[in-house]
Amino acid sequence: MSKATSPLLLACMAALFVGCSSSNTSTDPDGSGDMPASTENVKLTGSGASFPYPLYDRWFKEYSESTDGVKIDYQAKGSGAGIKDFINGTTDFGASDAAMKDDEIAQVDKGVQLLPMTAGEVVLAYNLEGVDGLKLSREAYVGILLGKITKWNDPAIVKTNEGIDLPEMDITVARRADSSGTTYVFTQHLSTISEEWKNGPGTGKTVVWPNSDKFIAAPKNDGVTATIKQTPGAIGYIEYGYAKLTKIPMVSLENQSGKFIQPSLESGQAALANVKMPEDLRAWLPDPEGEDAYPIVSYTWLLCYKKYDDPKKAEVLKNAVRYCLTEGQKISDEMGYVPLPENVVEKVTAALDNIQ
């Protein structure tokens, strides 16, 4: 974990994971109905996205604890670092909120199988004492991220928050310092709804943010979360699970239908409802349709090799994924994620045949 990460936040996350794991250990690790044969000391290492880290950490710990001879370690380094490690062959699997591009896949001699494992919402969390139920129009939140709206009592914010006493306070934006899939998802959405953003910062795991001392960089989702909580007047983009865990207020955002939507399991599922998963399992939701859809939702992927030098590692990985697709999906909601639709589970399960 980064040295900039809040110790209090990490302690809170660790306590939740340990408590939850002790009460939910599976007796059927791969979810198939049969216990897998004992495996002789197989260790898998992975790195990448911090977006799904709370869920992946719990999944992998539970699977490791319930399967003799298996240990799965996952390090949240950010999607960009995870893709780099995976391409360089220094890990057994990677994880990214930005699905690998064709030119990245071409660099991997062993072949690449992308597996969407869960979905989540990117939320705008904020720190304004006494302000509950904040709503931001598209005009307002794009303006804030462009550095054009700098005060909390700006007319663009006031007009959608009738009856709320907004302070004449500077807005501080907390953003990612590292190469981040969360940033990719967030900026892809901003590029979709704003020509000015598209032709300015654009879409990427890293982008050029406004040059202002009111834009503060922090590493990973937990670092941004800690920065928001420690900075009065702050707003920043993080994965919903981090906001849910730390009980930090979240903005209701204007969706494509013009409704202001709070992030939740229901609004995330509404966003996924109209998305068709293609054969390569790379589906994007830059601005989902649906009256009740939350506007910033993404799948997040495991990055697996199609060919492993050690067949035992391939088999352990596939069994672990089967567990995550079955028993693991049952805990997604309580951890702040959106369970995969059943048709997506079926496609991902079938894709495991490509891993040898």
Side-chain angles (χ1 to χ4, degrees):
M1 304 301 290
S2 168
K3 63 184 179 181
T5 300
S6 164
L8 178 61
L9 179 59
L10 285 179
C12 177
M13 292 168 66
L16 178 64
F17 301 153
V18 171
C20 291
S21 296
S22 64
S23 62
N24 286 280
T25 300
S26 173
T27 57
D28 178 15
D30 66 3
S32 64
D34 298 310
M35 290 295 290
S38 178
T39 307
E40 290 293 331
N41 298 324
V42 175
K43 180 178 180 180
L44 298 177
T45 59
S47 69
S50 65
F51 179 103
Y53 172 76
L55 185 60
Y56 283 6
D57 185 64
R58 180 169 166 186
W59 280 351
F60 297 149
K61 282 181 178 177
E62 290 188 353
Y63 186 79
S64 297
E65 289 170 0
S66 60
T67 310
D68 290 342
V70 169
K71 184 173 178 58
I72 304 176
D73 287 333
Y74 177 72
Q75 184 179 7
K77 300 171 66 174
S79 294
I83 290 175
K84 183 177 180 181
D85 286 347
F86 181 73
I87 290 174
N88 291 338
T90 58
T91 53
D92 297 306
F93 65 92
S96 177
D97 312 319
M100 289 179 73
K101 298 178 180 178
D102 290 344
D103 63 325
E104 294 171 327
I105 291 173
Q107 299 175 54
V108 182
D109 293 337
K110 296 179 181 180
V112 177
Q113 181 60 59
L114 301 178
L115 302 174
M117 297 303 298
T118 191
E121 294 152 298
V122 178
V123 307
L124 283 174
Y126 66 97
N127 182 348
L128 279 178
E129 186 176 358
V131 175
D132 297 317
L134 186 68
K135 298 177 181 178
L136 290 179
S137 66
R138 297 183 165 211
E139 173 196 5
Y141 67 84
V142 171
I144 290 170
L145 275 301
L146 284 170
K148 293 190 167 186
I149 295 177
T150 60
K151 296 285 187 181
W152 278 111
N153 64 345
D154 186 281
I157 301 175
V158 171
K159 73 180 181 181
T160 58
N161 292 280
E162 186 178 351
I164 296 178
D165 185 17
L166 293 164
E168 187 178 355
M169 177 188 286
D170 288 340
I171 298 173
T172 298
V173 175
R175 53 91 169 178
R176 290 287 288 270
D178 51 328
S179 179
S180 159
T182 307
T183 298
Y184 187 93
V185 172
F186 187 57
T187 57
Q188 183 186 50
H189 169 74
L190 295 176
S191 292
T192 302
I193 68 170
S194 166
E195 283 296 316
E196 186 174 4
W197 184 275
K198 180 180 178 180
N199 296 323
T203 300
K205 292 190 282 291
T206 61
V207 298
V208 178
W209 296 93
N211 184 17
S212 166
D213 61 359
K214 294 300 180 182
F215 278 69
I216 300 176
K220 301 183 292 184
N221 272 279
D222 45 7
V224 175
T225 303
T227 298
I228 297 167
K229 289 181 70 70
Q230 295 164 5
T231 310
I235 188 170
Y237 61 96
I238 56 176
E239 194 278 323
Y240 170 66
Y242 288 83
K244 180 178 179 179
L245 173 64
T246 58
K247 297 181 171 57
I248 189 170
M250 293 172 271
V251 179
S252 293
L253 296 180
E254 183 184 8
N255 69 6
Q256 191 179 132
S257 298
K259 291 182 64 176
F260 290 89
I261 304 294
Q262 261 283 302
S264 67
L265 171 65
E266 292 75 20
S267 61
Q269 289 175 323
L272 295 179
N274 296 316
V275 178
K276 182 174 287 188
M277 182 63 70
E279 288 304 311
D280 65 6
L281 303 183
R282 291 185 287 187
W284 294 105
L285 298 77
D287 189 24
E289 298 177 357
E291 191 169 314
D292 298 317
Y294 185 75
I296 316 177
V297 178
S298 178
Y299 287 106
T300 186
W301 290 264
L302 278 188
L303 321 175
C304 303
Y305 300 111
K306 287 188 174 180
K307 177 67 176 177
Y308 283 84
D309 296 332
D310 184 348
K312 289 182 179 178
K313 285 193 172 184
E315 195 58 33
V316 167
L317 178 65
K318 290 162 72 171
N319 283 336
V321 170
R322 290 187 186 101
Y323 165 78
C324 298
L325 292 173
T326 52
E327 294 303 309
Q329 295 299 311
K330 298 175 184 178
I331 63 170
S332 296
D333 177 32
E334 69 181 80
M335 299 294 290
Y337 297 87
V338 183
L340 294 178
E342 188 57 40
N343 65 316
V344 176
V345 170
E346 291 173 1
K347 286 192 174 185
V348 177
T349 301
L352 291 176
D353 291 340
N354 298 328
I355 299 173
Q356 304 295 328

